[in-house]
Amino acid sequence: MHASTDVDAAAKPDSIARAAIRSPLAALALALVLLSLLLTVTIPQPIGPMFWDHYLYLDAANRLGDGQIPSVDFFAPVGALGYYLFAALQSVFPSGHPLLLASWCLLIVTGPLIGLVMLDIQKRSRALAYAILLPFLVFSALPFNTGDFYPYPGSDGFGIYNRQVCQLLYVLAAALIYVRNPRILATVAAGAMIALFFVKITGAVAGVILCLMAFASGRFNLRSTLISALIFFSVLAVIELSLGAVSAYVADILALLDVNDGSLLPRLFQAASLNAGLLLPAGILCLTLFFANLSAFSASLRAICRRPSVAAIGTIFDQNFVWLIAFVVAGILFESQNTGSQAFIFLYPLLLKIILDYAAKGKSMRLTIAVSLLAFAAALPPMTVVAQKSARAWIGAVNNIRIESRNLKTMGAVNVRPILVLRAQRMRDAYITQRGTFDTLADAGELPSFLFYSDFDFQTAWLTNVDDAVDALRAYETTNGVRFDTIFNIDFANPFPWLMERHAPKRVAIGADPFRAIPPPNADVRAAVAAVAIALVPTCPPTNVNRKLLALYLPSLEAGHTRITLTPCYDAFVRNGLRTGANTAGS
């Protein structure tokens, strides 16, 4: 008897260990460890369209290191959370590629939140927990968008904010649909909404729609809702009272709305058309669900007319087709403001629930199969597109060559096809020797190609030009006995302060798109620009975009700076009277 007891006692820890290993939480922890290991080395990335978008994170991290606060000290078109998470992750993994750091830094937030969701779900079904977790890990680990904006395969260095929002909405949707513990639900909902607000405010709008849907259906009860709201507004209040960052962020968003004053309706149609591959089956599924449940839904409407109650209202809203409508509306509203994201991935937890509901209800086999097929047709496109783009980019990179650089640090860990390297060199030579041709294009308001900023040769040449400019800056400093403490690049991205361990001017916007993301300079911006030690102007090639940017800042530079030719591809405004070691940080 004692021997049997000893055997049972010995077997019990083993069974517990095996259960822990099979736990979705263990899989989540293993995935996070593996991604962390990949950040300990610099993994070159194949260059892609609008690749320079992720360089904004390097600029932001450098500004945060200087003590600047997004929206308070410089204009930011999105929330600050992604910048802070990137800076934190970069401090731990300095060798990590900036694109991977930017893409994975949100796991600092979403990892614990999805872990709480798994903790609740796995108590009922380990298989269901894995069914929710694995797609989340795929979308989080693979830094690719679901849309195509260029015909050739490459890394998606743009749309990172939007991908982060979609991943947060996925976590929020999974919690609202599956979590039963009210404390966990309130915690995850509050955490997700706080993160959505401080990543991109349009994501918070979509999150509110999801939460309202859950509240109306009775899934998110009043107590949990109030707790989540209290946590959300308490965090915002603390940040506002300590830093003034919330009101400054809202002011930046309002200024951005003034710059982007176009009609919303065309953007809604564009968002729907770009995602028609999944919205069409989702729409047919919604109609199928509506007619399949029409009698029950009609009965609920009659019941609330006879005897109105909170429970009766919940019954009306707690219909799969109503949930699907709310989620689709939230997705279209969010995607209407985006260029690149992991669109509608948060539909997956709901679509999975719809399949499971019909399988469990024992409805007619024909209806169950139809619903399942439509749900799969709506859920699969994001997964297949991301998997396909990942495979095309990384398998296609086998024959790529790494761009040579001297000063670009991890930013220069980029590879590209040899033929595109050759094209970049030839086009750069043409920009220099045939300047008049490109001036003519700029005069006409045209770029050298319709997809110019997505062209791989432009992104490749831009890195080479930055590398050469750093050499030229250091040579100028040595020759003239000066130090450029504050460096301003009059271009979309400004990596120079990070590359040279200098300072970016305060007040100046990050992500300089003069047509979408920069309000007219105010007195503080003009004073900061006037105080910079050097302002760089890219000239390979001259474009209407860079001309518009220069026109914004030129009045602040003309009086106190002298324009010089720094390299064949960069002019520079050098501040008059600059002295050796002078502290020229912008105010």
Side-chain angles (χ1 to χ4, degrees):
M1 181 176 179
H2 290 292
S4 176
T5 303
D6 291 340
V7 171
D8 292 342
K12 189 173 182 180
D14 290 340
S15 63
I16 293 174
R18 286 195 297 270
I21 292 172
R22 294 195 299 268
S23 165
L25 285 174
L28 173 62
L30 178 61
L32 295 179
V33 169
L34 289 176
L35 294 179
S36 298
L37 290 175
L38 292 176
L39 292 177
T40 60
V41 294
T42 306
I43 303 174
Q45 299 295 301
I47 206 159
M50 295 178 273
F51 195 70
W52 61 354
D53 259 36
H54 79 277
Y55 302 153
L56 303 185
Y57 285 89
L58 297 171
D59 185 10
N62 192 73
R63 295 188 191 215
L64 295 181
D66 286 345
Q68 295 189 36
I69 300 172
S71 296
V72 176
D73 293 314
F74 62 90
F75 180 88
V78 293
L81 181 61
Y83 301 145
Y84 280 103
L85 294 177
F86 174 88
L89 203 61
Q90 188 183 45
S91 67
V92 178
F93 301 104
S95 297
H97 194 283
L99 175 57
L100 299 182
L101 289 169
S103 298
W104 296 345
C105 67
L106 190 72
L107 282 165
I108 298 172
V109 174
T110 55
L113 292 179
I114 198 69
L116 288 174
V117 175
M118 293 300 102
L119 184 64
D120 183 88
I121 297 176
Q122 71 179 12
K123 294 175 182 177
R124 303 188 301 277
S125 170
R126 186 179 296 152
L128 177 59
Y130 269 115
I132 297 297
L133 176 63
L134 293 180
F136 167 80
L137 291 177
V138 168
F139 290 123
S140 298
L142 300 180
F144 290 87
N145 301 319
T146 53
D148 288 312
F149 291 87
Y150 201 70
Y152 296 108
S155 301
D156 282 344
F158 67 101
I160 296 173
Y161 312 119
N162 303 327
R163 294 202 295 266
Q164 292 175 339
V165 167
C166 293
Q167 290 157 21
L168 283 164
L169 290 173
Y170 185 103
V171 174
L172 179 61
L176 294 173
I177 293 169
Y178 293 103
V179 171
R180 294 180 181 175
N181 185 305
R183 291 182 180 177
I184 292 178
L185 179 56
T187 301
V188 174
M193 286 302 303
I194 292 167
L196 284 167
F197 182 85
F198 285 110
V199 170
K200 193 172 183 181
I201 203 163
T202 51
V205 173
V208 167
I209 294 174
L210 268 57
C211 289
L212 287 175
M213 179 63 236
F215 177 74
S217 68
R219 279 286 300 124
F220 201 15
N221 63 43
L222 181 61
R223 178 182 173 84
S224 296
T225 302
L226 291 176
I227 291 172
S228 295
L230 181 62
I231 296 171
F232 176 83
F233 287 109
S234 296
V235 170
L236 263 62
V238 169
I239 293 174
E240 174 62 20
L241 292 174
S242 58
L243 301 173
V246 176
S247 59
Y249 174 36
V250 172
D252 280 356
I253 298 303
L254 293 176
L256 202 61
L257 289 174
D258 286 338
V259 177
N260 295 270
D261 57 357
S263 173
L264 177 62
L265 189 59
R267 289 179 174 270
L268 294 174
F269 283 124
Q270 176 179 303
S273 64
L274 287 173
N275 297 282
L278 66 87
L279 289 180
L280 284 175
I284 297 171
L285 175 60
C286 190
L287 291 173
T288 302
L289 295 172
F290 173 74
F291 287 110
N293 293 277
L294 184 57
S295 58
F297 184 63
S298 300
S300 298
L301 289 175
R302 290 193 296 269
I304 196 173
C305 291
R306 289 195 304 267
R307 185 176 298 177
S309 68
V310 173
I313 294 174
T315 302
I316 290 175
F317 281 97
D318 196 17
Q319 305 282 336
N320 283 328
F321 75 89
V322 179
W323 278 85
L324 188 53
I325 290 172
F327 274 46
V328 167
V329 168
I332 291 177
L333 281 174
F334 175 64
E335 293 302 326
S336 68
Q337 306 301 313
N338 297 342
T339 301
S341 75
Q342 292 177 338
F344 292 94
I345 64 172
F346 63 91
L347 287 183
Y348 171 79
L350 175 61
L351 295 169
L352 178 62
K353 177 182 179 295
I354 291 172
I355 293 173
L356 295 175
D357 282 352
Y358 270 78
K361 286 178 181 178
K363 297 275 188 179
S364 72
M365 182 61 67
R366 184 178 299 176
L367 179 60
T368 300
I369 292 174
V371 167
S372 299
L373 289 176
L374 287 169
F376 276 119
L380 286 179
M383 298 184 193
T384 55
V385 169
V386 168
Q388 179 194 32
K389 292 181 71 174
S390 303
R392 287 190 70 200
W394 290 333
I395 294 174
V398 170
N399 296 320
N400 286 7
I401 60 174
R402 183 163 174 171
I403 296 175
E404 295 182 4
S405 65
R406 302 166 300 280
N407 308 297
L408 299 183
K409 301 181 180 178
T410 54
M411 191 180 93
V414 176
N415 56 57
V416 66
R417 294 184 182 185
I419 191 172
L420 291 173
V421 173
L422 180 60
R423 174 175 168 80
Q425 293 169 349
R426 289 171 173 171
M427 293 303 296
R428 183 173 181 270
D429 291 341
Y431 298 150
I432 295 169
T433 60
Q434 307 296 324
R435 184 66 52 84
T437 299
F438 297 99
D439 279 328
T440 301
L441 285 172
D443 291 340
E446 294 291 343
L447 293 170
S449 75
F450 189 72
L451 298 175
F452 183 63
Y453 293 117
S454 292
D455 288 338
F456 291 5
D457 57 279
F458 167 77
Q459 295 291 336
T460 302
W462 191 86
L463 286 170
T464 300
N465 295 340
V466 169
D467 195 31
D468 291 345
V470 172
D471 281 337
L473 286 167
R474 288 176 174 152
Y476 187 97
E477 288 179 327
T478 300
T479 302
N480 294 277
V482 298
R483 176 180 169 85
F484 300 124
D485 281 337
T486 331
I487 304 175
F488 176 36
N489 188 32
I490 305 177
D491 201 353
F492 177 74
N494 182 20
F496 291 98
W498 178 76
L499 292 172
M500 300 183 67
E501 298 181 358
R502 307 297 171 84
H503 307 288
K506 287 185 177 182
R507 314 301 173 193
V508 178
I510 192 170
D513 183 343
F515 296 103
R516 291 178 50 200
I518 300 185
N522 59 23
D524 290 338
V525 173
R526 291 194 295 270
V529 172
V532 299
I534 189 169
L536 304 174
V537 182
T539 58
C540 284
T543 66
N544 59 317
V545 177
N546 286 341
R547 284 185 177 182
K548 186 173 178 66
L549 266 178
L550 181 58
L552 290 173
Y553 301 117
L554 186 61
S556 303
L557 295 168
E558 287 179 314
H561 294 72
T562 300
R563 185 166 184 166
I564 64 169
T565 299
L566 184 69
T567 73
C569 287
Y570 270 100
D571 286 355
F573 286 88
V574 180
R575 201 178 74 185
N576 299 331
L578 196 63
R579 294 291 178 266
T580 304
N583 186 354
T584 58
S587 59

